[in-house]
Amino acid sequence: MDALHTRLLVARFGDTFRFYDALLPALLGATRTRGGAEGPYASWDVDGQGVLALFDRTAMATATAATTASPGDGGPGGPDDRTMLVSRVLDVDTAYAACLARGATPTGPPTDRPEWGPTLRSAHVRDPEGNLWELQSY
């Protein structure tokens, strides 16, 4: 289970992909598990644990636009987002509610995302510093 890993939201997907695809295997022993230079998504694991994912920033914003609270609310993949924390949780709805109860700012409610995976469900919040966090189950 990927408890917590970093996802970089990038504008230059191909260049960034080639950079990490050359370095992560050599430096960390990482294996690419998904994606390619054409994007919009790629990820690498070490020993079955996610260590890094890339997502095209525009594709992220487009994919989540329908579920953000309102236009301009700081939804996922906006122009200021460069990094996102991603956690696999047992229950997205429960985790989302727990985050909100502790002061997180909602940016995208729990939503089924079959285009990302047949059973994938995710939600997005911002911590008190404004960092984006995706909660997901699959």
Side-chain angles (χ1 to χ4, degrees), residues 37 71 89 132:
V89 297
L132 188 58

Side-chain angles (χ1 to χ4, degrees), residues 3 7 21 26 31 35 44 55 57 61 81 83 96 112 126 133:
R7 179 182 296 157
D21 200 48
T31 302
W44 293 262
F55 201 170
R57 186 177 310 120
D81 287 325
T83 305
Y96 182 76
D112 292 330
R126 292 192 184 277
W133 190 7

Side-chain angles (χ1 to χ4, degrees), residues 47-74:
D47 297 328
Q49 295 295 309
V51 294
L52 182 69
L54 302 179
F55 201 170
D56 179 89
R57 186 177 310 120
T58 300
M60 177 72 189
T62 301
T64 59
T67 61
T68 56
S70 62
D73 72 347

Side-chain angles (χ1 to χ4, degrees), residues 32-130:
R32 182 170 14 116
T33 55
R34 295 177 81 185
E38 69 284 353
Y41 183 85
S43 61
W44 293 262
D45 289 4
V46 172
D47 297 328
Q49 295 295 309
V51 294
L52 182 69
L54 302 179
F55 201 170
D56 179 89
R57 186 177 310 120
T58 300
M60 177 72 189
T62 301
T64 59
T67 61
T68 56
S70 62
D73 72 347
D80 294 332
D81 287 325
R82 301 284 186 264
T83 305
M84 173 191 303
L85 298 176
V86 180
S87 292
R88 187 172 177 188
V89 297
L90 293 176
D91 182 296
V92 170
D93 297 78
T94 299
Y96 182 76
C99 289
L100 297 183
R102 287 165 183 81
T105 302
T107 61
T111 304
D112 292 330
R113 299 200 183 276
E115 68 278 13
W116 293 0
T119 61
L120 199 136
R121 184 169 178 77
S122 72
H124 298 89
V125 298
R126 292 192 184 277
D127 70 15
E129 190 64 26

